[in-house]
Amino acid sequence: MKKIIVIVPLMGFLAFAACTQGTETTGLPIPTPLAAEETKPPTFDPNHFLTATLVPFYTQVPSPTFVGEPATVNIALNMGSGGAGFSANLYAQEVYTGRTVGIFMSAGMHTAPLLPTSPPLDMAVPAPGTYVFYARLSNDPMDYHYGYTECSVPTDCVGSPLLALDVLPGKHYTVLIVDRKALLPGIDERGLPVTVPWVKLVESTP
């Protein structure tokens, strides 16, 4: 009887030890440094949106793509009715290549007797080349436009062909744009060879 009392607890203890021998406490896996790095949000350049939406300012400085010394053309615009308070864009378009440069002329503030409506502007154009010159009013470029033709008095103009001026590097020229009825290159034709009627100015000397 005494042996049974001793053996039973001993067997129970051995059985308990055998059951718990292979049992280990398990927990959540600890992320490795690589896993932690992969869960980081993507990084952005703080100047990304600034540089992506940056728009260059308009300038009247000659284009840096000019090769060699440009010619200078002094352009006057005569609307025929004095200062009307309208601004205009002046263009020079090479008749063969279509290369087009332009400058902005602010609104004239003169009274009717003082023509042209705004002071003449100097435009730098790539040279050598053969150019026609014209203007379109900023507020209505489709309906109000003027060309450089043989006409010099606005009320006498009948829509003559544009005059094409030969220009040389470093030289200075003068142009008067007055012909309200002249046929001009289309707004979508800047940069294309000139197809509207034009004649070369015989005495296109500086």
Side-chain angles (χ1 to χ4, degrees):
M1 185 67 182
K2 291 181 179 180
K3 290 183 179 181
I4 295 176
I5 295 175
V6 175
I7 292 174
V8 170
L10 181 60
M11 292 297 293
F13 175 77
L14 293 176
F16 176 78
C19 292
T20 59
Q21 184 175 2
T23 304
E24 294 181 1
T25 304
T26 59
L28 296 176
I30 299 175
T32 63
L34 178 60
E37 182 71 22
E38 289 177 349
T39 59
K40 288 183 178 180
T43 58
F44 291 97
D45 182 355
N47 296 322
H48 171 74
F49 294 103
L50 176 63
T51 57
T53 58
L54 185 62
V55 178
F57 292 101
Y58 175 81
T59 177
Q60 293 188 24
V61 177
S63 168
T65 58
F66 282 13
V67 177
E69 186 178 6
T72 302
V73 182
N74 184 263
I75 304 176
L77 172 61
N78 187 343
M79 298 182 191
S81 60
F86 299 125
S87 60
N89 291 297
L90 310 180
Y91 298 100
Q93 187 164 341
E94 218 283 328
V95 295
Y96 302 111
T97 66
R99 182 171 187 176
T100 307
V101 293
I103 57 175
F104 176 77
M105 175 177 277
S106 61
M109 301 306 294
H110 305 160
T111 55
L114 300 178
L115 299 176
T117 57
S118 293
L121 296 179
D122 285 336
M123 175 188 288
V125 298
T130 303
Y131 292 86
V132 293
F133 299 85
Y134 54 94
R136 292 184 181 275
L137 296 193
S138 301
N139 62 316
D140 195 353
M142 292 294 292
D143 293 330
Y144 288 92
H145 43 74
Y146 302 80
Y148 171 50
T149 68
E150 62 182 359
C151 182
S152 59
V153 180
T155 55
D156 296 340
C157 296
V158 295
S160 302
L162 297 175
L163 289 180
L165 178 68
D166 287 331
V167 300
L168 298 174
K171 301 299 182 179
H172 294 258
Y173 305 86
T174 301
V175 165
L176 175 61
I177 299 177
V178 301
D179 197 334
R180 170 73 177 82
K181 299 178 180 179
L183 185 61
L184 309 183
I187 293 177
D188 59 346
E189 294 176 342
R190 291 197 291 266
L192 300 175
V194 177
T195 58
V196 296
W198 61 271
V199 294
K200 185 176 290 189
L201 182 64
V202 177
E203 297 180 357
S204 57
T205 56

